[in-house]
Amino acid sequence: MTSLDKPTDQGTTDQDADSRAVTEAALFEAFGGVRGMVETVVPGLLFVTIFTINKDLHMSAIAALAVSLVLVVVRLVMKDTVKHAFSGVFGVAFGVVFAMMTGNAKDFYLPGMLYTLGLALAYIITTLAGVPLIGLILGPVFKENLSWRTRNPGRKKAYAKASWAWGLILLAKCAILFPLYWWADTTQFGWVLVALKIPPFLLAVYLTWVFLAKAPPPIDVFAEMEAAEKAEEERKAARS
């Protein structure tokens, strides 16, 4: 290796490190990080724990909904983003309504299962349509919006791979949960569902990170627009 090669290699290494850091930060923001995972797991965990102890559907449902509301209040007090906590509240609320209407504690989990199935299909269908869902989710986070569709084919390919990963992982999760919904008792089903909350999610996020870390960097369309506006202002100033 010559002395001229070394700075180039170092520059490439630095760019790769920067790209991976940006990807990690974007995924952390988009999917809520550790705190988002905790907020996703705690209501269901509390529900199945209480139901395992006393078989009281009403107490279990009310406790799960209450803890979801507490998590939202904590985020509001801390002036933090509440989108993940609010989505958790809505999910728990639908579960509570289903369970109360049917009197079947397993129905507390049914809305979340249907949502997971719908999301899995959305990932697969949008990818087949050429607009992978993960790109629609992460595009604004990376400040690239939809530029990856026409201007960054390597990035579009990475988004397609990531969307396939999400879709297939979520389908596999559904393939486990739906049979158990019919065959297992409420306690067994609840503990299996809680156990499957985090591992599939972490696998999908990890694969997304792998695909995007190897992809071309995003095109910052916001910076391009700002640069265009600045250039236009300079042209107007030069004429006047």
Side-chain angles (χ1 to χ4, degrees):
M1 181 179 293
T2 66
S3 59
L4 292 176
D5 294 327
K6 293 179 180 177
T8 302
D9 292 343
Q10 182 61 43
T12 302
T13 301
D14 291 343
Q15 289 176 357
D16 290 343
D18 291 342
S19 176
R20 290 176 181 176
V22 169
T23 300
E24 289 174 8
L27 290 175
F28 193 89
E29 177 183 344
F31 298 114
V34 175
R35 188 170 181 180
M37 287 188 290
V38 170
E39 291 171 344
T40 300
V41 171
V42 166
L45 178 61
L46 186 60
F47 179 91
V48 71
T49 300
I50 294 176
F51 191 83
T52 299
I53 295 172
N54 61 19
K55 308 300 182 186
D56 189 322
L57 169 58
H58 291 80
M59 182 181 295
S60 302
I62 292 171
L65 184 58
V67 76
S68 297
L69 293 171
V70 168
L71 292 172
V72 171
V73 171
V74 170
R75 279 192 178 263
L76 289 172
V77 170
M78 298 180 67
K79 298 181 179 180
D80 200 355
T81 178
V82 296
K83 62 180 180 180
H84 299 290
F86 266 129
S87 64
V89 168
F90 290 130
V92 172
F94 278 116
V96 169
V97 170
F98 268 66
M100 294 294 190
M101 288 176 59
T102 64
N104 184 353
K106 280 195 288 188
D107 287 341
F108 172 79
Y109 303 105
L110 187 57
M113 292 166 56
L114 294 174
Y115 172 78
T116 299
L117 178 59
L119 190 59
L121 296 176
Y123 276 117
I124 292 173
I125 292 171
T126 55
T127 304
L128 292 173
V131 194
L133 180 58
I134 200 71
L136 300 178
I137 295 171
L138 295 180
V141 178
F142 283 111
K143 300 181 180 179
E144 62 182 334
N145 285 347
L146 295 178
S147 62
W148 50 268
R149 286 197 64 202
T150 55
R151 299 173 57 191
N152 206 337
R155 200 154 180 85
K156 181 179 179 180
K157 185 177 180 180
Y159 280 138
K161 289 180 179 179
S163 287
W164 274 115
W166 277 91
L168 294 176
I169 288 169
L170 293 180
L171 278 182
K173 179 178 177 180
C174 290
I176 296 171
L177 292 180
F178 276 95
L180 287 176
Y181 172 79
W182 297 106
W183 300 334
D185 64 38
T186 301
T187 300
Q188 293 171 335
F189 177 70
W191 285 111
V192 170
L193 192 144
V194 169
L196 286 178
K197 278 282 186 180
I198 299 301
F201 174 81
L202 289 180
L203 177 59
V205 170
Y206 172 73
L207 291 175
T208 302
W209 177 83
V210 170
F211 295 139
L212 292 182
K214 296 178 180 179
I219 299 171
D220 191 337
V221 295
F222 296 145
E224 288 182 343
M225 288 188 291
E226 291 175 358
E229 291 175 359
K230 184 177 180 181
E232 181 63 24
E233 291 174 358
E234 290 175 351
R235 282 194 295 270
K236 289 180 180 178
R239 292 195 206 101
S240 57

